[in-house]
Amino acid sequence: MTQAQSPPPRGTDPDRSRMGATRISTLVVAGLAAAAVAWLLISARYGNFPRLPWLPVVTLAALAVLEAYAAVNTRSRIERKPGRDPVDPLMVARFAVLAKASALAGAILAGWCAGLTGWLFVEPTRAATEDLPAAGAGLLASLALVVAALWLERSCRVPEPPEDDRDADQWEGRPGQR
Protein backbone atom coordinates (compact mmCIF):
# COMPACT_ATOMS: atom_id res chain seq x y z
CA MET A 1 0.00 0.00 0.00
CA THR A 2 1.48 3.34 -0.99
CA GLN A 3 0.69 6.62 0.58
CA ALA A 4 0.40 9.82 -1.35
CA GLN A 5 3.29 12.05 -0.50
CA SER A 6 2.75 15.74 -0.25
CA PRO A 7 5.20 18.02 -2.03
CA PRO A 8 8.02 19.40 0.12
CA PRO A 9 7.20 22.66 1.86
CA ARG A 10 8.17 25.87 0.07
CA GLY A 11 11.66 27.10 0.70
CA THR A 12 13.19 23.73 1.57
CA ASP A 13 14.57 23.06 -1.89
CA PRO A 14 18.35 23.77 -1.69
CA ASP A 15 18.42 25.20 -5.22
CA ARG A 16 15.75 27.80 -4.33
CA SER A 17 17.92 29.41 -1.70
CA ARG A 18 20.85 30.02 -4.02
CA MET A 19 21.60 33.51 -5.16
CA GLY A 20 21.56 33.72 -8.92
CA ALA A 21 22.95 36.22 -11.35
CA THR A 22 21.19 39.54 -11.71
CA ARG A 23 18.70 39.44 -14.54
CA ILE A 24 18.92 42.20 -17.09
CA SER A 25 15.13 42.11 -17.43
CA THR A 26 14.77 42.97 -13.73
CA LEU A 27 17.04 45.96 -14.15
CA VAL A 28 15.17 47.14 -17.26
CA VAL A 29 11.77 46.86 -15.57
CA ALA A 30 13.02 48.72 -12.47
CA GLY A 31 14.53 51.44 -14.65
CA LEU A 32 11.38 51.86 -16.75
CA ALA A 33 9.19 52.05 -13.66
CA ALA A 34 11.48 54.67 -12.12
CA ALA A 35 11.47 56.66 -15.38
CA ALA A 36 7.67 56.68 -15.44
CA VAL A 37 7.43 57.78 -11.80
CA ALA A 38 10.06 60.48 -12.37
CA TRP A 39 8.25 61.83 -15.41
CA LEU A 40 4.96 62.01 -13.52
CA LEU A 41 6.42 63.62 -10.40
CA ILE A 42 8.62 66.08 -12.24
CA SER A 43 5.86 67.18 -14.60
CA ALA A 44 3.57 67.91 -11.65
CA ARG A 45 6.08 69.52 -9.25
CA TYR A 46 9.09 70.83 -11.19
CA GLY A 47 8.49 74.45 -10.21
CA ASN A 48 8.91 73.58 -6.51
CA PHE A 49 12.29 71.85 -6.93
CA PRO A 50 15.66 73.53 -6.34
CA ARG A 51 18.39 73.32 -8.97
CA LEU A 52 19.78 69.86 -9.53
CA PRO A 53 22.97 69.26 -7.52
CA TRP A 54 26.13 67.71 -8.95
CA LEU A 55 27.11 65.80 -5.80
CA PRO A 56 24.96 62.71 -6.62
CA VAL A 57 26.59 62.54 -10.05
CA VAL A 58 30.07 62.59 -8.54
CA THR A 59 29.07 60.01 -5.92
CA LEU A 60 27.62 57.62 -8.50
CA ALA A 61 30.69 57.99 -10.73
CA ALA A 62 33.01 57.33 -7.77
CA LEU A 63 31.03 54.21 -6.82
CA ALA A 64 31.25 52.98 -10.40
CA VAL A 65 35.03 53.45 -10.42
CA LEU A 66 35.44 51.70 -7.06
CA GLU A 67 33.32 48.74 -8.12
CA ALA A 68 35.20 48.45 -11.41
CA TYR A 69 38.48 48.40 -9.47
CA ALA A 70 37.06 45.77 -7.11
CA ALA A 71 36.04 43.68 -10.14
CA VAL A 72 39.54 43.73 -11.62
CA ASN A 73 41.20 43.03 -8.26
CA THR A 74 38.79 40.25 -7.28
CA ARG A 75 39.05 38.46 -10.62
CA SER A 76 42.84 38.47 -10.54
CA ARG A 77 42.84 37.16 -6.96
CA ILE A 78 40.32 34.41 -7.76
CA GLU A 79 42.42 33.34 -10.75
CA ARG A 80 45.49 33.37 -8.44
CA LYS A 81 47.61 35.53 -10.69
CA PRO A 82 51.24 35.94 -9.59
CA GLY A 83 51.83 38.64 -7.00
CA ARG A 84 48.26 38.58 -5.72
CA ASP A 85 47.16 37.41 -2.29
CA PRO A 86 44.60 34.61 -2.14
CA VAL A 87 41.03 35.78 -2.01
CA ASP A 88 38.91 35.63 1.14
CA PRO A 89 35.69 33.74 0.26
CA LEU A 90 33.62 35.85 2.64
CA MET A 91 34.85 39.03 0.95
CA VAL A 92 33.82 37.64 -2.44
CA ALA A 93 30.35 36.90 -1.08
CA ARG A 94 30.12 40.45 0.25
CA PHE A 95 31.21 41.85 -3.10
CA ALA A 96 28.57 39.74 -4.86
CA VAL A 97 25.84 41.12 -2.59
CA LEU A 98 27.17 44.65 -3.06
CA ALA A 99 27.17 44.15 -6.82
CA LYS A 100 23.57 42.93 -6.88
CA ALA A 101 22.39 45.83 -4.73
CA SER A 102 24.36 48.38 -6.72
CA ALA A 103 23.06 47.08 -10.03
CA LEU A 104 19.45 47.45 -8.90
CA ALA A 105 20.03 50.85 -7.28
CA GLY A 106 21.88 52.04 -10.37
CA ALA A 107 19.06 50.86 -12.64
CA ILE A 108 16.47 52.69 -10.54
CA LEU A 109 18.58 55.85 -10.49
CA ALA A 110 19.22 55.56 -14.23
CA GLY A 111 15.49 55.28 -14.82
CA TRP A 112 14.84 58.28 -12.60
CA CYS A 113 17.50 60.33 -14.40
CA ALA A 114 16.20 59.19 -17.80
CA GLY A 115 12.67 60.32 -16.94
CA LEU A 116 14.00 63.59 -15.58
CA THR A 117 16.28 64.15 -18.58
CA GLY A 118 13.46 63.36 -21.00
CA TRP A 119 11.11 65.80 -19.31
CA LEU A 120 13.77 68.52 -19.06
CA PHE A 121 14.57 68.07 -22.74
CA VAL A 122 11.02 68.90 -23.81
CA GLU A 123 10.47 71.66 -21.21
CA PRO A 124 11.17 75.09 -22.79
CA THR A 125 12.06 76.98 -19.58
CA ARG A 126 15.47 78.38 -18.71
CA ALA A 127 15.59 76.44 -15.43
CA ALA A 128 15.04 73.18 -17.31
CA THR A 129 17.85 74.03 -19.72
CA GLU A 130 20.19 74.72 -16.79
CA ASP A 131 19.28 71.43 -15.07
CA LEU A 132 19.68 69.32 -18.19
CA PRO A 133 23.49 68.78 -17.94
CA ALA A 134 23.27 67.52 -14.33
CA ALA A 135 20.39 65.18 -15.21
CA GLY A 136 22.22 63.82 -18.27
CA ALA A 137 25.42 63.32 -16.30
CA GLY A 138 23.40 61.55 -13.58
CA LEU A 139 22.03 59.20 -16.23
CA LEU A 140 25.51 58.40 -17.51
CA ALA A 141 26.92 57.91 -14.01
CA SER A 142 24.02 55.62 -13.08
CA LEU A 143 24.53 53.52 -16.19
CA ALA A 144 28.25 53.33 -15.40
CA LEU A 145 27.36 52.07 -11.92
CA VAL A 146 25.11 49.37 -13.39
CA VAL A 147 27.85 48.21 -15.77
CA ALA A 148 30.50 48.20 -13.02
CA ALA A 149 28.18 46.31 -10.65
CA LEU A 150 27.40 43.66 -13.25
CA TRP A 151 31.13 43.34 -13.97
CA LEU A 152 31.88 42.95 -10.25
CA GLU A 153 29.17 40.33 -9.94
CA ARG A 154 30.60 38.40 -12.88
CA SER A 155 34.10 38.69 -11.41
CA CYS A 156 32.92 36.99 -8.21
CA ARG A 157 32.06 33.76 -10.02
CA VAL A 158 34.15 30.68 -9.39
CA PRO A 159 36.01 29.77 -12.59
CA GLU A 160 35.36 26.46 -14.31
CA PRO A 161 37.95 23.79 -13.56
CA PRO A 162 40.34 22.87 -16.38
CA GLU A 163 39.42 19.99 -18.69
CA ASP A 164 41.94 17.64 -17.02
CA ASP A 165 40.36 18.14 -13.59
CA ARG A 166 36.85 17.54 -14.93
CA ASP A 167 37.85 14.19 -16.44
CA ALA A 168 39.48 13.06 -13.16
CA ASP A 169 36.40 14.11 -11.14
CA GLN A 170 34.15 12.20 -13.52
CA TRP A 171 36.03 8.93 -12.87
CA GLU A 172 36.28 9.50 -9.12
CA GLY A 173 32.50 9.68 -8.86
CA ARG A 174 32.08 6.14 -10.28
CA PRO A 175 33.41 3.49 -7.95
CA GLY A 176 34.77 0.35 -9.55
CA GLN A 177 35.23 1.84 -13.03
CA ARG A 178 38.91 2.65 -13.30
Side-chain angles (χ1 to χ4, degrees), residues 73-87:
N73 188 28
T74 302
R75 175 51 47 195
S76 65
R77 291 175 70 185
I78 286 175
E79 291 175 349
R80 298 180 182 190
K81 292 195 175 176
R84 297 289 185 160
D85 293 333
V87 68

Side-chain angles (χ1 to χ4, degrees), residues 4-118:
Q5 291 184 353
S6 63
R10 290 182 150 257
T12 59
D13 183 18
D15 289 336
R16 288 184 55 109
S17 63
R18 286 188 176 172
M19 183 172 68
T22 302
R23 294 185 180 134
I24 301 299
S25 60
T26 303
L27 300 178
V28 169
V29 168
L32 290 175
V37 169
W39 186 284
L40 291 174
L41 287 177
I42 298 300
S43 64
R45 303 271 185 217
Y46 182 69
N48 300 334
F49 287 166
R51 292 213 41 198
L52 289 179
W54 282 90
L55 184 60
V57 176
V58 173
T59 303
L60 290 171
L63 286 172
V65 169
L66 288 174
E67 289 194 25
Y69 174 75
V72 171
N73 188 28
T74 302
R75 175 51 47 195
S76 65
R77 291 175 70 185
I78 286 175
E79 291 175 349
R80 298 180 182 190
K81 292 195 175 176
R84 297 289 185 160
D85 293 333
V87 68
D88 178 21
L90 188 56
M91 183 60 71
V92 174
R94 289 177 181 157
F95 277 157
V97 171
L98 172 69
K100 287 184 75 65
S102 295
L104 185 58
I108 291 170
L109 290 169
W112 178 267
C113 290
L116 177 61
T117 303

